[in-house]
Amino acid sequence: EILGLSPVDRTRRRWMNYYGPKGTIPHVSYAQVLATNALRPDFFTNKVVIIGVSPILTFQGSSGADQYATPYTRWTGNLSPGVELQATAFLNLVGREWLEELSPLTELWLLIFLGGATGYGFAIVRPWVAARWSFLGLSVITAVALYGVWERHQWCPFLIFCGAQIPCALGWSILANTKRLYREKELFQRRLTGVARATSVVAV
């Protein structure tokens, strides 16, 4: 509000867009601030300063209740201090860089379209062709999802497509082709039996 950059619609649902793992946003300690010549004289010029608590190192190890998991915690194992999350939210709002989920209607149409396309398309081709299409579909959907998050700041639950729809469609393709081969085998055996009987009758 002070900067005149607050979003107009405050009821709009927004998602945090993290810039990186713990320590990505520049930070300094109180000791550096109070020490003589530890920082440049203009270090805080034209900047918004957010003050918070970092983990405290004791003889028992690192302690601090104001620490939270982020998407990067899964890969690094590091928690981020609450002040860094506040700074992330602030930068999201100032730079209009928050994430937004696609509308429910758009997600529904994507589910219907991709489900129908993969369910029908994989069933009419051989399993090895369906497997190649599955790999291609997973690659394309993943690339589009990453592009949407990084460039357009939009996301959707794309794991539903990659982790449920495509594997189920591939499984259905294998099952449908197995049943088709079984029916063709039975029909072929019946034809062979009929030919054998006809041949035996002619021989008599």
Side-chain angles (χ1 to χ4, degrees), residues 154-175:
Q154 291 182 328
W155 74 277
C156 69
F158 71 95
L159 283 179
I160 295 177
F161 313 130
C162 296
Q165 283 190 318
I166 291 181
C168 287
L170 180 59
W172 174 252
S173 172
I174 296 173
L175 179 62

Side-chain angles (χ1 to χ4, degrees), residues 1 3-7 19 48 87-98:
E1 290 179 346
L3 297 177
L5 297 173
S6 59
Y19 300 104
V48 174
T88 300
F90 174 80
L91 291 174
N92 280 185
L93 293 174
V94 169
R96 300 293 194 269
E97 295 175 329
W98 60 77

Side-chain angles (χ1 to χ4, degrees), residues 129-195:
V129 177
R132 291 173 60 183
W133 285 7
S134 298
F135 178 77
L136 178 61
L138 291 173
S139 302
V140 170
I141 291 175
T142 302
V144 170
L146 293 176
Y147 171 79
V149 171
W150 290 338
E151 298 296 330
R152 301 185 60 84
H153 299 151
Q154 291 182 328
W155 74 277
C156 69
F158 71 95
L159 283 179
I160 295 177
F161 313 130
C162 296
Q165 283 190 318
I166 291 181
C168 287
L170 180 59
W172 174 252
S173 172
I174 296 173
L175 179 62
N177 278 275
T178 302
K179 288 185 175 182
R180 185 183 302 120
L181 289 175
Y182 180 75
R183 288 195 300 268
E184 290 177 355
K185 180 182 177 181
E186 281 189 336
L187 181 60
F188 182 69
Q189 288 177 344
R190 288 176 184 174
R191 289 179 179 176
L192 284 179
T193 303
V195 171

Side-chain angles (χ1 to χ4, degrees), residues 3-63:
L3 297 177
L5 297 173
S6 59
V8 177
D9 185 5
R10 299 190 180 188
T11 62
R12 193 171 171 181
R13 192 174 188 182
R14 299 174 175 87
W15 300 79
M16 292 272 284
N17 183 11
Y18 294 90
Y19 300 104
K22 174 185 175 182
T24 299
I25 299 177
H27 62 282
V28 294
S29 65
Y30 268 120
Q32 291 175 290
V33 174
L34 299 177
T36 304
N37 298 327
L39 300 173
R40 302 188 314 272
D42 61 343
F43 184 81
F44 294 109
T45 303
N46 294 324
K47 294 179 182 177
V48 174
V49 179
I50 301 176
I51 300 174
V53 179
S54 292
I56 301 173
L57 294 177
T58 66
F59 68 93
Q60 295 178 339
S62 177
S63 65

